[in-house]
Amino acid sequence: MVVLATVLGATYLAHNWGGLMTYRAGEVRPYDLRARVLFERDDEEETARKRDEALQNLSPEEQRDPKRCKEVREKIKVVKQYPPGTLLVEHNSPITDSQYELLQAESRAFWASKEVTLWRWIRTFSIFLIYTLLATLVILYVVRFQEELASNLRMVVGVCAMVLLTLVIGLFLCHEVCWHVVLIPLTVTALILTIAYNPPFALLMSLSLSLAMIVMLDGSLNDLLVAMGGQATAILTLRNIRSRTRLVKVGISAGFAYLAMTLATELYTGQTWGLIISDSIWALVWGALAGFIVSGLLPVVERCFAIVTDVSLLELGDGSHPLLQELVRRAPGSYTHSMTVATLAEPCAEAIGANPLLVRVGSYFHDIGKMLKPQYFIENQSGENRHDSLEPALSTLIIIGHVKDGVALAEQYRLPRPIIDFIQQHHGTTLVEYFYREALRLHESQGLSTVRSDGQPHPLESSFRYPGPKPQSRENGIVMLADAVESSSRALSTPTPASLRKLVHDLLMKRLLDGQFEESGLTLTELHVIEETLCKGLIALYHSRIKYPEPASSERKAS
């Protein structure tokens, strides 16, 4: 229904504001331009000649009377009629300024005529069919290759709204400025779709939008070639946005592509050099301007599409962020743990082609909820363990609560949604095993026994599991493993390479068999690569040192 509404909205725009006259002064057309309907236009030259003759016929006294002369001039007006089929501009001839004004008058008369009503509705129906076909092709592609987008109504509504907004802005700019300025909204949309989704989807949407715009405005194949040349360049060169200037550079690249394609198409169609140079320069300007616009709109794009770019990740990863400063002040052990998790997780993301920067920054913030009750977490304790005086169930509530507290802090500090996902998903629905075993021991010591069928979990187990959800992306799955591996390795008395490898393998298999990676998109091959990378990272972290000999007693005295 959303897509159908978008198609109907675009058709409505084409019916009411489409059909823009795209002729320009100085342009060469390969065919004759003739009048389509009867129209009239003031013949200024003949009017001036008739007025001069009328003034000469006045008496000397009347000629000296300004009021009389004005009355005579206003009475005379010569109107020239142009019947249908009248030649207005000859083929392969540049359109002069006077011919351009004549074409404007013919266009206004054509759209105001009664004869055009039937043709206009036929044109609207044809455009509706074209838009329906384009929408069907996009739907088929999304259903097959973009399952996440197809299953998310919010994202579908966002894309459809962007399509309509692009068409509206393009129509407005075409009517107010000129045809080629439509390259600005088309390029901006192409860049936003590439940032929010992926290049293949952005290419398909850009082609569909360009076709829709050109059909709406009665453009030509040359216009399509120019539009797609620049947009494809922008989409394919946009990657690793680590600074806002990167977007400006991509816009300039698109501008040069527009310039080259404009030069090629207008040379091919035999345009005048003045028009070729002017259009080429303006095409470069429009492309570069689109890059500046997207650079300024980047925070809005991230907020609307719930994404985070490398620019924002680099800003969040700065150690001066208030949340990280608060974490290092309140829970220094948790801060050190988070930094170590980031060190272990980032190479894993690089090894499987995930987003290493997102993994690193997500690791920094994944345990920020611990700062509210730091003394209840072992890495922040200095001797006293507060859980010794608590029931296992209460201790579990405190441990599990750091996820909820972290999400609340992240929302309070307006962290992007992908970072909040790391906080929410880094434990998935795993079991808080230590306190679960303690609860089972107390249960049995009190003489309570629970009858359960084979393969069914203990009734207490659900109370000792994290609420989830399970990791929803490869990056979240990596951080889950790195977090578990780093914290468990601290309990090893002698962390040798063999013991570290066994620890990593056992933890990975436990979470795999527990179904924690079912929704992450991680394959078995990728999990094997992650296992090997984590082993290398841990072994490097716990590398051995040469023990320096103690100085002899005589040397100590001498010193």
Side-chain angles (χ1 to χ4, degrees):
M1 290 301 294
V2 176
V3 177
L4 178 60
T6 304
V7 171
L8 291 174
T11 307
Y12 176 80
L13 292 172
H15 177 78
N16 287 280
W17 293 284
L20 178 72
M21 189 198 74
T22 57
Y23 307 127
R24 292 174 298 153
E27 185 180 9
V28 175
R29 293 280 173 149
Y31 47 83
D32 293 337
L33 299 179
R34 298 179 179 272
R36 293 167 288 180
V37 293
L38 173 67
F39 72 99
E40 297 178 345
R41 187 165 179 270
D42 294 343
D43 191 335
E44 295 180 358
E45 292 183 2
E46 187 64 20
T47 299
R49 191 180 65 80
K50 293 285 187 181
R51 285 175 176 174
D52 290 341
E53 291 179 357
L55 290 175
Q56 291 175 2
N57 293 330
L58 294 175
S59 63
E61 294 179 357
E62 289 178 320
Q63 290 179 1
R64 288 192 294 269
D65 186 356
K67 187 176 180 181
R68 175 60 178 159
C69 291
K70 183 179 179 181
E71 290 176 356
V72 171
R73 293 179 64 86
E74 288 178 349
K75 287 180 180 179
I76 300 174
K77 187 178 181 181
V78 179
V79 177
K80 185 177 182 179
Q81 289 189 338
Y82 296 84
T86 302
L87 179 63
L88 303 179
V89 181
E90 191 175 353
H91 69 280
N92 295 330
S93 298
I95 299 173
T96 64
D97 291 338
S98 59
Q99 288 173 331
Y100 176 71
E101 294 176 359
L102 198 63
L103 289 170
Q104 282 186 314
E106 189 274 342
S107 181
R108 287 192 295 268
F110 174 75
W111 288 107
S113 65
K114 295 180 180 179
E115 292 80 2
V116 82
T117 303
L118 177 60
W119 176 87
R120 190 170 187 176
W121 281 107
I122 293 174
R123 174 183 178 274
T124 300
F125 180 70
S126 303
I127 290 176
F128 173 75
L129 292 179
I130 293 172
Y131 288 176
T132 302
L133 178 60
L134 289 174
T136 303
L137 292 175
V138 172
I139 290 172
L140 291 174
Y141 173 83
V142 169
V143 169
R144 184 172 179 183
F145 299 107
Q146 303 286 332
E147 295 180 4
E148 183 181 356
L149 173 58
S151 60
N152 191 323
L153 180 60
R154 180 177 176 273
M155 294 170 71
V156 172
V157 171
V159 172
C160 291
M162 179 172 291
V163 168
L164 285 177
L165 183 62
T166 303
L167 294 176
V168 169
I169 294 175
L171 278 173
F172 172 78
L173 293 176
C174 282
H175 281 278
E176 296 297 325
V177 187
C178 68
W179 152 251
H180 286 86
V181 78
V182 77
L183 297 175
I184 295 177
L186 288 176
T187 310
V188 168
T189 301
L191 291 173
I192 291 175
L193 290 174
T194 307
I195 295 169
Y197 301 103
N198 52 67
F201 178 66
L203 276 173
L204 178 63
M205 287 301 301
S206 296
L207 175 61
S208 302
L209 263 174
S210 298
L211 284 170
M213 187 72 76
I214 287 167
V215 167
M216 183 182 294
L217 297 173
D218 293 340
S220 64
L221 176 62
N222 292 340
D223 300 322
L224 177 63
L225 291 173
V226 171
M228 282 311 301
Q231 289 176 81
T233 301
I235 291 168
L236 297 176
T237 56
L238 181 61
R239 54 185 299 180
N240 299 330
I241 313 172
R242 289 182 172 261
S243 66
R244 298 186 191 278
T245 56
R246 176 62 186 159
L247 287 167
V248 176
K249 292 177 181 177
V250 169
I252 293 173
S253 299
F256 276 109
Y258 284 136
L259 183 149
M261 193 61 75
T262 301
L263 181 65
T265 55
E266 295 196 357
L267 280 174
Y268 179 77
T269 54
Q271 302 301 323
T272 61
W273 277 107
L275 190 68
I276 292 174
I277 294 173
S278 173
D279 286 351
S280 299
I281 292 174
W282 280 114
L284 172 62
V285 171
W286 303 142
L289 185 58
F292 280 101
I293 292 173
V294 177
S295 177
L297 290 176
L298 194 58
V300 178
V301 172
E302 291 181 330
R303 183 68 63 179
C304 291
F305 288 91
I307 59 171
V308 57
T309 62
D310 288 355
V311 174
S312 296
L313 287 175
L314 289 170
E315 293 172 355
L316 289 171
D318 187 357
S320 62
H321 191 281
L323 265 179
L324 295 180
Q325 289 292 306
E326 196 69 13
L327 180 64
V328 74
R329 187 178 69 83
R330 293 191 182 188
S334 297
Y335 176 83
T336 303
H337 160 74
S338 298
M339 297 299 112
T340 309
V341 169
T343 302
L344 293 172
E346 188 173 11
C348 297
E350 291 179 352
I352 66 169
N355 188 337
L357 184 57
L358 177 61
V359 166
R360 173 157 63 89
V361 177
S363 299
Y364 289 168
F365 289 92
H366 79 282
D367 267 347
I368 57 173
K370 290 182 178 180
M371 73 170 70
L372 298 185
K373 298 182 181 72
Q375 297 305 317
Y376 287 93
F377 297 90
I378 188 68
E379 65 266 27
N380 300 308
Q381 294 174 359
S382 56
E384 178 191 2
N385 189 342
R386 296 192 178 186
H387 291 287
D388 292 340
S389 59
L390 299 177
E391 292 289 330
L394 182 56
S395 293
T396 301
L397 287 176
I398 294 173
I399 297 297
I400 291 176
H402 86 274
V403 173
K404 183 179 178 181
D405 293 339
V407 171
L409 282 170
E411 291 175 347
Q412 178 184 343
Y413 281 82
R414 296 183 177 276
L415 292 186
R417 186 70 236 178
I419 302 301
I420 297 177
D421 289 341
F422 281 99
I423 301 170
Q424 212 166 29
Q425 300 170 21
H426 74 278
H427 283 296
T429 58
T430 54
L431 189 65
V432 185
E433 290 196 39
Y434 179 84
F435 293 113
Y436 173 63
R437 304 298 175 196
E438 284 292 309
L440 287 181
R441 186 181 60 78
L442 288 175
H443 203 67
E444 292 172 0
S445 66
Q446 293 172 1
L448 301 174
S449 60
T450 303
V451 179
R452 52 180 176 146
S453 57
D454 294 340
Q456 294 297 317
H458 195 283
L460 287 176
E461 186 174 313
S462 61
S463 302
F464 287 83
R465 281 191 176 273
Y466 282 92
K470 296 176 181 179
Q472 302 294 304
S473 67
R474 296 190 299 168
E475 288 81 4
N476 285 311
I478 290 170
V479 172
M480 167 185 271
L481 270 176
D483 178 50
V485 163
E486 199 282 333
S487 55
S488 298
S489 66
R490 299 288 181 182
L492 294 176
S493 56
T494 53
T496 63
S499 64
L500 291 171
R501 286 185 179 277
K502 184 178 183 303
L503 173 70
V504 173
H505 181 74
D506 291 346
L507 286 172
L508 187 149
M509 291 305 298
K510 183 182 291 185
R511 277 157 177 70
L512 179 63
L513 296 175
D514 195 26
Q516 296 301 317
F517 303 121
E518 292 175 346
E519 301 168 13
S520 68
L522 287 169
T523 64
L524 291 176
T525 302
E526 290 173 337
L527 286 172
H528 176 70
V529 173
I530 292 170
E531 179 182 348
E532 291 298 317
T533 309
L534 282 174
C535 289
K536 291 179 183 177
L538 274 180
I539 292 170
L541 191 64
Y542 289 99
H543 65 278
S544 59
R545 286 276 190 175
I546 297 175
K547 185 176 181 180
Y548 292 96
E550 292 288 335
S553 58
S554 59
E555 292 178 354
R556 285 199 298 268
K557 290 179 180 179
S559 61

